[in-house]
Amino acid sequence: MNIIPTHLLDRSTVKQFFITHWGSPQMVVSTGVYDCSELDGFAAVQGNGEIAGLITFVIRGEECEIVSLDSVIENHGIGSALLKQTETFAAQHGCSTIRLITTNDNLHALRFYQKRGYQIVDVFPNAVEKARQMKPSIPLVSADGIPIRDEFLLVKQLHTS
């Protein structure tokens, strides 16, 4: 498994990854609307060239915002490796904090990030309703029956070198 910058991949391959796994490369959160296939990021690529995981982010000044993180194969360290690569890259580019937004139903993400030093610092009640106005395909309820309503902001302080 190699981790490479997404700009080394064909953009159509990255776009197809998001269409396959998210229905669209468009991500709508309270910080904005993003085309994830156009963002900076890293991909975990298997020996056969298939993408096993992908992370995208935006750097603004001293802050890095993770926009998406997907791992096709769970519990093999792919998400952790992509996150670590992004944290290292962000610190090398002068970022002191890294942040992300996830929804209230995404218990897997909340567990994953908190185990890796991220802290919930804000909650945006009913933020997903606003996002649905721009992207109506966002489900009302998660696969396990949790109403998808709120966004959580998680932040981690980076140790810059």
Side-chain angles (χ1 to χ4, degrees), residues 6 14 17-18 22 24-27 29 34-37 39-42 53-58 65-71 79 82-83 86 99-101 113:
T6 53
V14 175
F17 179 89
F18 285 108
W22 286 94
S24 159
Q26 184 184 60
M27 179 76 65
V29 292
Y34 302 93
D35 179 340
C36 291
S37 67
L39 298 178
D40 286 329
F42 294 99
L54 205 145
I55 190 168
T56 62
F57 55 87
V58 177
E65 179 175 359
I66 295 171
V67 178
S68 71
L69 172 58
D70 293 289
S71 179
L82 290 167
L83 184 62
T86 300
R99 61 181 273 151
L100 64 103
I101 288 180
Y113 288 112

Side-chain angles (χ1 to χ4, degrees), residues 104-107 139-149:
N104 64 286
D105 67 298
N106 197 341
L107 304 179
L140 293 170
V141 178
S142 70
D144 56 355
I146 299 173
I148 304 171
R149 290 188 283 252

Side-chain angles (χ1 to χ4, degrees), residues 56-115:
T56 62
F57 55 87
V58 177
I59 292 179
R60 295 181 201 93
E62 294 183 8
E63 187 171 82
C64 176
E65 179 175 359
I66 295 171
V67 178
S68 71
L69 172 58
D70 293 289
S71 179
V72 176
I73 309 162
E74 295 288 323
N75 299 315
H76 281 80
I78 296 168
S80 297
L82 290 167
L83 184 62
K84 186 148 194 59
Q85 185 73 34
T86 300
E87 290 173 354
T88 299
F89 180 87
Q92 289 170 345
H93 286 80
C95 294
S96 58
T97 61
I98 193 158
R99 61 181 273 151
L100 64 103
I101 288 180
T102 193
T103 51
N104 64 286
D105 67 298
N106 197 341
L107 304 179
H108 181 72
L110 289 166
R111 188 170 31 255
F112 174 84
Y113 288 112
Q114 289 180 87
K115 281 182 175 180

Side-chain angles (χ1 to χ4, degrees), residues 16 19 31 45 71 75 77 79 88 95 127 157 160:
Q16 189 56 52
I19 291 169
T31 58
V45 181
S71 179
N75 299 315
T88 299
C95 294
Q157 299 302 314
T160 52

